[in-house]
Amino acid sequence: MKLPSISTTLFLGAAAAASSSNASSNALALAAASSSEYCPTIYADFVRRQLAHFSPEGIFIAQEGESQKHTPFLSLSEDGKSATVIVGNGDEEGGVYHPMTASTDPSEVHFITHILVKDQDDNFIVNQALDPTAEAPATITFAVPAGVTEMVAYEWCNKHGLWAGPAVQVPTSETETVLQDTKSLATSDECTVSHFPEGAWPSVHADFLRLQAQVFESETPFTEADGVKHTPYITVNEDGTSSILVGEVGVAIHPMNGSPDGNEPPHWITEIYVVDQDGKIVAMKSLDPTGVTEATMDFDTPKSATTLQAYAWCNIHGLYEGPVAEVGATKEAADADETTVTVLGDGSNSGTTAAVSLSVIASAVALTALKM
């Protein structure tokens, strides 16, 4: 595998490799197995941000003698059926793991947001969003698909950009015997959207506020007055659910333009999330642009909520907050309720609501010279 050339447009790397006449039939079958364009899309956006904010020369690769804190090291299990990625080399003398610092303070939050892995033909094997409340090191374990002969891991640090690790060879004799029905690990034949764990939600919001201040020069989220197309509108339904649409029908709808081959810079709503009257994040969803034309989210309306407000992050234009929607729940119902929120049609974001006051977070935004 070769890393994308730093002297040319990095979006071309995955497309060129995927269309190469030298790609193996197994690798092509693996690429075809994934119907989602999410993984090349998020990677293309990381490359865009890397070039714009961190290095015009491309992806960082730590050299010998330099700190390996950001390096995603990939290792195979003894039987070759699974692999593990760990960010940093804290297991070595003098080494260090990358921190996982969860915080509601935009100036303090610092973590590895995603780990991705590619094979020898630049096909994406796995993508995982991480939780900064988990103890360092940032790590994932996944099943190795048959036909993979080489892998490279990548990680995105919210403050220091995109880093690649060393290539790891996979013995052919081992990959040929990998069980295709391994489901207990992060299955590799469908690299798709990975939702942030609930513990990460406050830190994700804090990081959005950090970027809003640094990149978009605004200490607060944009609003409807700044553009209907980016505004998330909540509709509270009578059946106990609520729905969100970014934009307004008949006025302007935000596009969901992915990058299925990594050849075009993407433009989409990456996350939508909801807060209640107490500033608690009650639901969050990462959006896959595959086959959709609108940014939407459906979720169970918390019985404890009296008001709800949606937020949407556009990868190109920043953070927007929508108008407050009245729910009509009473305080007595709130006190009696033990709320579990489910993002409908997804099921991955459920559990007790994440407690974080957005007003407190917003007040902590500092327009300091932090790296994106």
Side-chain angles (χ1 to χ4, degrees):
M1 173 190 294
K2 64 178 182 179
L3 296 179
S5 169
I6 62 176
S7 61
T8 58
T9 303
L10 299 189
F11 295 115
L12 298 177
S19 61
S20 171
S21 60
N22 295 324
S24 67
S25 58
N26 280 335
L28 291 176
L30 177 62
S34 180
S35 60
S36 170
E37 63 189 49
Y38 181 84
C39 292
T41 294
I42 193 171
Y43 178 81
D45 193 52
F46 286 156
V47 171
R48 177 193 67 81
R49 293 171 63 185
Q50 180 78 0
L51 294 172
H53 303 288
F54 295 104
S55 173
E57 296 184 343
I59 301 168
F60 294 130
I61 302 175
Q63 303 300 310
E64 186 176 353
E66 298 178 341
S67 172
Q68 301 295 319
K69 182 173 71 173
H70 284 91
T71 300
F73 291 99
L74 190 152
S75 61
L76 288 169
S77 61
E78 290 186 4
D79 61 9
K81 295 180 181 181
S82 65
T84 298
V85 179
I86 297 177
V87 181
N89 63 338
D91 57 339
E92 300 178 6
E93 184 177 355
V96 62
Y97 290 128
H98 190 283
M100 296 292 279
T101 305
S103 180
T104 58
D105 184 340
S107 67
E108 295 295 331
V109 61
H110 183 196
F111 70 112
I112 305 302
T113 69
H114 293 81
I115 294 176
L116 299 97
V117 178
K118 286 175 152 187
D119 72 7
Q120 67 278 0
D121 295 296
D122 276 349
N123 297 311
F124 287 92
I125 295 174
V126 69
N127 160 61
Q128 184 68 50
L130 303 181
D131 184 352
T133 64
E135 185 177 352
T139 183
I140 65 169
T141 297
F142 60 96
V144 179
V148 171
T149 61
E150 184 178 270
M151 296 183 289
V152 170
Y154 299 81
E155 63 91 347
W156 180 263
C157 169
N158 74 310
K159 287 191 174 182
H160 302 112
L162 185 61
W163 296 73
V168 172
Q169 303 299 317
V170 182
T172 303
S173 60
E174 293 177 349
T175 59
E176 288 177 346
T177 60
V178 172
L179 296 176
Q180 293 301 296
D181 60 351
T182 302
K183 301 299 182 184
S184 61
L185 303 175
T187 305
S188 305
D189 61 358
E190 179 66 12
C191 188
T192 186
V193 63
S194 175
H195 300 278
F196 283 106
E198 188 171 342
W201 295 354
S203 295
V204 172
H205 176 72
D207 194 50
F208 285 157
L209 287 176
R210 182 185 67 84
L211 294 173
Q212 186 79 350
Q214 179 190 339
V215 178
F216 301 101
E217 300 182 346
S218 175
E219 295 187 56
T220 58
F222 298 128
T223 68
E224 186 177 33
D226 298 298
V228 170
K229 183 172 75 172
H230 287 86
T231 303
Y233 295 94
I234 292 182
T235 299
V236 180
N237 306 312
E238 294 182 358
D239 64 356
T241 66
S242 293
S243 304
I244 299 172
L245 172 66
V246 179
E248 186 175 342
V249 175
V251 180
I253 297 294
H254 193 283
M256 294 292 283
N257 297 330
S259 184
D261 57 8
N263 197 31
E264 296 294 335
H267 181 196
W268 89 112
I269 300 297
T270 69
E271 270 79 28
I272 297 175
Y273 52 104
V274 185
V275 302
D276 67 9
Q277 67 281 353
D278 298 317
K280 296 178 182 177
I281 301 177
V282 297
M284 179 179 287
K285 178 184 179 182
S286 297
L287 275 63
D288 186 344
T290 306
V292 298
T293 58
E294 299 176 343
T296 62
M297 174 178 169
D298 298 315
F299 62 100
D300 289 334
T301 306
K303 294 179 181 179
S304 59
T306 58
T307 66
L308 295 171
Q309 187 173 28
Y311 289 75
W313 178 262
C314 169
N315 72 309
I316 301 296
H317 300 110
L319 186 62
Y320 279 73
E321 64 180 12
V324 175
E326 299 290 336
V327 178
T330 65
K331 186 61 178 176
E332 289 75 13
D335 294 337
D337 181 52
E338 295 181 0
T339 302
T340 297
V341 175
T342 300
V343 178
L344 303 181
D346 180 285
S348 61
N349 289 337
S350 62
T352 305
T353 56
V356 54
S357 172
L358 300 190
S359 60
V360 172
I361 296 176
S363 66
V365 178
L367 290 173
T368 55
L370 296 174
K371 285 189 175 182
M372 187 179 70

